[in-house]
Structures are given as structure tokens and as C-alpha cells.
Amino acid sequence: MSTQLPHPSQAAPDTTQIHNIGYRSYDGPRLGRAYARRSLFSQSLRGAYGLGRSAKSKVLPMLLFAVMCVPALIIVAVAVVGKQSKLSIEYTEYAIYLQVVISIYLASQAPQSVSRDLRFRTVPLYFSRPIEHADYVLAKFGAMASALFVLTASPLLILWIGSLLAKMDFAEQTAMLGQGLVSVALLSLLFGGIGLVMAALTPRRGFGVAAVIAVLTVSYGAVSTLMGIAYATENEGAIQWLGLFSPMTLITGVQTAFLGAPSAFPDGGGPGAGVGVIYVLVVLALIAGSYGILMRRYRKVGL
């Protein structure tokens, strides 16, 4: 029994067609790595204050920014009304007194900056574009440090403007403002690097928040307790060395040694210029080390 195949003319007609829908190659300028790095920096900096995100994301960073600035406004109001000849707080002391607010801000925003990329595995997508691992780390590091600088420098500017309104000496207040800005710039780099390292170790935001708070707050509490014990046991020589083991006491030691800030250490002395050099070297080593750890981390996750 034979099977007769259909004649070619009886087969279904071929409906395959080629359509020109207007695509063409891109002939415009290639903006390259620098533009991509600036865009990532800008996006990360805006995101640190909830800009470009939902209204809910703006609440905490803006609230913390307000908490940082309100005490400065109160100090300025008292100085102007009372016609004081000096402010009731030094520019270099302000961040130390409000370090809890700074720690909470960093703990909330550092994981937001890097943990989401790790959790949703979007990091390799960045590197599929003309952007290198160093560009990603530099943009994130710079954005976090810049966000912290905005948070810590804004109250100092309020204090400076208030001092001028109270007719205090312009040259003296400007010099003190400069010292305060140097201090918070160093703080922003150090805290920003440490916060990003802690947040980048895990894709879980909650773990990142806990790690940042533990490193900043717990370490400061432990070092302060040990300093108090050393002072109570008349072992004042150990106090300046204990300050090397906490980020905030490191900043305190640097500004005491080189920026003319009053000491916040129990003995009221703080490190001199000799030990202060060690403080500076440790701070710079931690900043560079944080950058190096982030580079190593993103070489792995970016594959």
C-alpha cells in the first residue's frame, strides 16, 4: 500500500516575511566610563536621601538630617538672643555629640546603597556596560562619603552663619569652621568606607544594619569603658593608645592632636603630635583598607 505525498502546489503557502521596522545602528557619541561612573555616583548620592525613590524612603534620612540640624539652630538662636561672644559648642565637637545619629544614618543607608544590588544580583549587569569594578566601588564609596559629609557639615555651616549673625569675630569663626570641616570630611571617608564594607559582606539588609551599628556603636562603648577603667586605675598612659580601636575615638584623637579641638578623652589630654601621627596613619590605613576590601569583594560578585 503506497502513501501519496501532497503535490508541492497543494502544500501550505510559506508565510515567512522580513519586515523592516526601522532599527538602525547608533551613530551618536559614546559617553564611556567617566559618564557611567558619574551617573552611578549621582544616583547613589540621591538615593542616600531618598531622592528619586518612594516617599517612604525619604522619611528616615530626611528626619535624621533634621535631627542633626535642629541642635545647631537652637545653639544659634540662644547665641543671637543672648548676644554671646562665643558659641556654646566647638565646631569639632558637634559630630561627636551627635555620633548616634550619624551611626543610625549610616546603618540605614549603607545597606541600601550596596545590599540591594547583591540581593537582586544586578551587579554583573553594571559590568556588562563600559564600567569597571574600580568605577563601581569608587562611585559607591564617594557617594556614601559625600552623603555623610552633607549630613555632618550642614550643622557646622548653620553654626557659622549664626556666629556671624551674633557679630562674633569673622576670622576666628571661619578658622574654626575650617577645622570642623576637615574633621567631618575625615569622619565621612572613614565611616563611609567601614559602613560599605559591613553592608557589602551580606545581601541581607538587616544583617548589614546590625553589622554597621555593632562596629561603630559597640566599639565606641567598649573603648570608652576601657578608657574609664584606665583613668580610674591611674593608668592614664594607656588611654591614648586605647583610642586607636574605635572609629570615633580615632577621629577625636586626630582633631585633638592637629585641629586644636578640646579633648574628649577621660584624662582631658588626648594624644600629642607624636601619637597623633599614628592616629592619622591608622585612619588612612582603614580608609585605604576599606576600599581594597570592597574591590576584592566586587571582583568576586561581579563575575
Side-chain angles (χ1 to χ4, degrees):
M1 183 176 181
S2 61
T3 302
Q4 185 177 2
L5 297 175
H7 192 272
S9 61
Q10 298 176 350
D14 186 4
T15 58
T16 301
Q17 299 182 20
I18 298 176
H19 296 275
N20 181 4
I21 58 177
Y23 287 128
R24 64 180 182 179
S25 60
Y26 175 71
D27 299 324
R30 300 288 179 177
L31 300 177
R33 288 175 54 190
Y35 179 82
R37 185 169 57 243
R38 289 195 302 270
S39 298
L40 183 58
F41 168 83
S42 175
Q43 179 192 34
S44 300
L45 178 56
R46 286 166 52 85
Y49 285 94
L51 302 178
R53 299 168 59 200
S54 64
K56 181 180 178 181
S57 301
K58 296 179 177 66
V59 174
L60 182 59
M62 292 302 181
L63 178 62
L64 293 174
F65 181 81
V67 171
M68 283 291 295
C69 293
V70 166
L73 291 171
I74 295 174
I75 292 171
V76 164
V78 171
V80 173
V81 173
K83 298 181 180 180
Q84 298 177 351
S85 59
K86 61 180 295 186
L87 296 172
S88 58
I89 189 173
E90 298 282 348
Y91 292 89
T92 50
E93 293 179 314
Y94 195 90
I96 297 174
Y97 285 126
L98 292 173
Q99 61 179 289
V100 174
V101 180
I102 299 172
S103 299
I104 294 174
Y105 176 84
L106 182 61
S108 64
Q109 299 308 313
Q112 182 275 137
S113 180
V114 295
S115 295
R116 291 191 304 170
D117 291 341
L118 296 172
R119 184 167 67 251
F120 298 118
R121 303 181 184 276
T122 58
V123 175
L125 296 179
Y126 285 104
F127 303 141
S128 66
R129 299 294 180 182
I131 186 172
E132 302 290 340
H133 298 82
D135 299 322
Y136 181 89
V137 172
L138 188 62
K140 291 293 185 178
F141 199 135
M144 194 72 258
S146 298
L148 284 172
F149 184 74
V150 170
L151 182 74
T152 54
S154 297
L156 302 188
L157 292 176
I158 293 174
L159 291 176
W160 180 71
I161 294 172
S163 69
L164 300 184
L165 293 175
K167 298 181 180 181
M168 300 180 189
D169 185 77
F170 174 81
E172 180 184 6
Q173 293 299 319
T174 303
M176 294 171 66
L177 171 66
Q179 294 172 348
L181 292 177
V182 171
S183 175
V184 296
L186 201 59
L187 181 149
S188 300
L189 288 170
L190 178 60
F191 278 41
I194 292 175
L196 288 180
V197 167
M198 295 296 103
L201 293 178
T202 173
R204 296 182 179 274
R205 184 174 182 178
F207 290 164
V209 171
V212 173
I213 291 178
V215 170
L216 297 182
T217 305
V218 176
S219 66
Y220 179 77
V223 169
S224 298
T225 301
L226 292 175
M227 284 181 172
I229 294 173
Y231 181 72
T233 57
E234 299 182 355
N235 191 15
E236 289 87 353
I239 294 177
Q240 60 184 351
W241 299 108
L242 290 171
L244 295 170
F245 298 97
S246 165
M248 183 55 76
T249 53
L250 276 170
I251 298 299
T252 302
V254 170
Q255 64 184 22
T256 299
F258 298 110
L259 299 177
S263 175
F265 290 175
D267 61 349
V275 179
V277 171
I278 300 177
Y279 272 69
V280 173
L281 293 176
V282 172
V283 170
L284 295 178
L286 287 174
I287 294 172
S290 298
Y291 181 82
I293 293 172
L294 288 171
M295 282 292 298
R296 184 174 181 180
R297 170 65 170 159
Y298 282 99
R299 282 196 182 98
K300 293 181 178 180
V301 301
L303 297 177

